[in-house]
Amino acid sequence: MGELLVGKHVKYIITVEKRKGDFESVVMEHLRLNGAYWGLTTLDIMGKLSAVEQDEVISWVMQCQHESGGFGGNIGHDPHVLCALSAIQVLALFDKIHVLDIDKVSNYIAGLQNEDGSFSGDIWGEVDTRFSYIAILSLALLHRLDKVDVGKAVKYILSCKNVDGGFGCTPGAESHAGKIFCCVAALAITGSLHHVDKDLLGWWLCERQVKSGGLNGRPEKLPDVCYSWWVLSSLIMIDRVHWIDKGKLVKFILDCQDKENGGISDRPDDAVDVFHTYFGLAGLSLLEYPGIKPIDPAYALPVDVVNRQKQFPLMKGGLRYQCCNIFIIMALSGRNKPKADPGF
Ligand code: 3PZ
Ligand code: ZN
C-alpha cells in the first residue's frame, strides 16, 4: 500500500493558490472563497498554514463581503450563504473572526430563515437542508444561534427524514450521503441527535462501502473520495464508525493520490482537484491517519480551531486577548510574590 505524500500535497495546494487565470481557476472563479476554505483547511491539518500570506488572504476575504452583510464567492459576486460560511471558516482558521462585523453577518444569515424553519441559500429563495446546516454552523461559530428559531430549524430537518433512516434535501426527497451529513451535523451542533435512529441510519451508511474499500453516496453509484467525508463524519457523529472497514478505506484514499504532482482525485487515476484533496485528507484525519491534525466531524474545521472558537464568546475588540493579558499579569504577579524572607 502507498504512503501519504504530505510534502507533495502541500506543494499542490500552494501551487493552486498562486495560480490565477488558467482553466481551472476560471471554472472556480465563482467558488474562489469555498476553494480557499478547502485549500487552507487542507494546509492546516498538514501543519502548513503558515505557508500562505495570512494578511493578503484576510484582506481578500473581507473584499468579498457585500453591503447586505453576506459574502460572494469572489470580489463583486452576489452573496450566498455558503460563501458566508467559507469566509467565517477561513477567518476562524487564522483566529481572526473578530475582524468581522458579527451582527451584520449574522443578521444576513438569520434573515434567510423561512416561516417553516427551513433556510434559503440566498435572496432567490431555493430551500435545501444543506442551507440549514450552513446557517446553523455559521451562527454557532459566531455565537449567534439565538438570532434564529432553532426549534423550528430542527423540526424542518426532521421533516426531511426518510423511512430508510436517511435524510434528503426537502421533505420526501431521496436519502443521499451529502444531505445526511448536513442534517446529522446540524442536529449534532444543536444537541438534537436523539431524534436519529442510529442503528437504522448507521446500517444505510455502512452499506455505502464498496469492494474497492471506497464509499459511494447512494446505492448503485461509483465510490468517490469526497464520500469518505460525508459518510464517515456521519458515522462518527452517530457512534457507528466501527461498522465499516477503516483499513480498506484508507487504502482507497491513498490510491487516489497523484504520486507525481500531489493532490487527490475522486477515484484512482482521475484528475486531481482541491475539493477532493481536501475531503481525502479530511477523511484520513477522521480515520486517525498519523501526522494529520484531527478534524471535527460536525464543524468541518480542525478540532483545535473549533475549541478555540467555542471557548470564548466573541466581543468587539477581541475580549480573548484582554483575558489572556489578565491571566499573564496574574501569573507573573504570583511568581514575583516574595516567599519567606531568605535573610532571616
Ligand atoms: C465539485 N461543487 O458544484 S460545484 C466541486 N463537485 O461547484 C468542486 N464529487 O466539475 C470541485 N462531483 C470539484 N475543485 C467537484 C464543488 C459540487 C461538488 C462535483 C463533484 C464532487 C463528484 C460530481 C457541489 C460543497 C460545495 C459544492 C458542492 C458540494 C459540496 C465541477 C462540478 C461541480 C462543481 C465544481 C466543479 C469539475 C473542485
Ligand atoms: Zn466527489
Side-chain angles (χ1 to χ4, degrees):
M1 170 159 78
E3 271 181 279
L4 181 65
L5 306 165
V6 173
K8 293 207 167 166
H9 299 319
V10 170
K11 220 163 140 194
Y12 167 74
I13 298 288
I14 291 170
T15 311
V16 172
E17 205 237 344
K18 293 212 171 104
R19 200 166 52 198
K20 288 184 181 128
D22 71 355
F23 179 67
E24 190 180 7
S25 298
V26 174
V27 174
M28 293 290 291
E29 167 86 4
H30 67 291
L31 281 176
R32 191 68 57 73
L33 197 45
N34 310 306
Y37 154 71
W38 300 323
L40 295 170
T41 311
T42 308
L43 284 181
D44 194 21
I45 61 176
M46 294 189 293
K48 282 286 188 307
L49 190 60
S50 56
V52 296
E53 270 303 328
Q54 171 174 331
D55 294 344
E56 261 174 42
V57 175
I58 291 164
S59 142
W60 169 76
V61 168
M62 293 311 288
Q63 287 178 67
C64 295
Q65 192 168 24
H66 188 255
E67 58 198 16
S68 62
F71 282 78
N74 206 336
I75 300 170
H77 286 225
D78 287 342
H80 191 280
V81 73
L82 175 56
C83 301
L85 172 61
S86 293
I88 294 165
Q89 286 172 312
V90 168
L91 294 173
L93 286 174
F94 291 116
D95 198 13
K96 282 282 189 294
I97 289 220
H98 57 270
V99 307
L100 281 174
D101 182 336
I102 309 271
D103 281 310
K104 200 163 180 197
V105 188
S106 51
N107 285 340
Y108 164 82
I109 298 167
L112 295 169
Q113 190 173 35
N114 303 306
E115 197 43 50
D116 62 357
S118 67
F119 283 85
S120 300
D122 57 20
I123 53 163
W124 306 107
E126 189 200 350
V127 167
D128 191 310
T129 44
R130 280 178 300 161
F131 307 145
S132 300
Y133 165 64
I134 290 165
I136 286 170
L137 172 55
S138 302
L139 293 172
L141 286 167
L142 298 176
H143 296 269
R144 291 294 186 278
L145 265 177
D146 57 304
K147 292 206 174 185
V148 291
D149 189 329
V150 174
K152 270 192 179 179
V154 167
K155 210 171 144 203
Y156 180 78
I157 291 169
L158 294 174
S159 76
C160 299
K161 188 160 70 170
N162 293 319
V163 289
D164 58 16
F167 293 83
C169 55
T170 46
E174 143 186 54
S175 295
H176 173 282
K179 276 88 195 200
I180 291 174
F181 160 77
C182 291
C183 293
V184 171
L187 295 174
I189 293 168
T190 56
S192 317
L193 275 178
H194 54 279
H195 293 292
V196 177
D197 183 335
K198 294 180 179 170
D199 286 336
L200 186 63
L201 177 58
W203 181 250
W204 191 94
L205 288 168
C206 77
E207 289 258 279
R208 305 279 60 76
Q209 189 160 38
V210 301
K211 245 198 201 122
S212 63
L215 304 170
N216 64 18
R218 274 178 295 170
E220 313 301 333
K221 296 279 179 182
L222 287 173
D224 179 332
V225 156
C226 66
Y227 288 99
S228 308
W229 170 268
W230 313 117
V231 175
L232 206 50
S233 57
S234 304
L235 282 168
I236 291 173
M237 288 186 273
I238 61 166
D239 301 316
R240 296 294 181 277
V241 75
H242 51 286
W243 286 5
I244 61 152
D245 186 331
K246 286 185 173 188
K248 278 181 86 172
L249 179 55
V250 169
K251 183 183 178 311
F252 176 80
I253 299 173
L254 293 177
D255 284 344
C256 295
Q257 301 180 100
D258 180 330
K259 294 190 173 58
E260 246 171 70
N261 303 311
I264 297 176
S265 53
D266 55 356
R267 58 190 73 93
D269 302 319
D270 273 358
V272 303
D273 60 54
V274 184
F275 184 85
H276 291 97
T277 304
Y278 166 54
F279 285 109
L281 278 152
L284 290 172
S285 164
L286 293 178
L287 292 161
E288 299 171 89
Y289 194 93
I292 304 189
K293 272 187 16 182
I295 195 158
D296 185 285
Y299 284 73
L301 278 170
V303 168
D304 59 346
V305 173
V306 175
N307 286 342
R308 188 167 67 196
Q309 226 42 60
K310 279 185 184 169
Q311 218 160 357
F312 293 95
L314 293 160
M315 285 198 189
K316 264 197 186 138
L319 174 72
R320 179 185 320 154
Y321 303 105
Q322 292 167 26
C323 285
C324 286
N325 286 340
I326 288 166
F327 288 135
I328 291 167
I329 290 163
M330 280 163 54
L332 287 176
S333 57
R335 189 164 351 130
N336 290 340
K337 238 187 236 145
K339 299 191 178 74
D341 187 350
F344 196 71

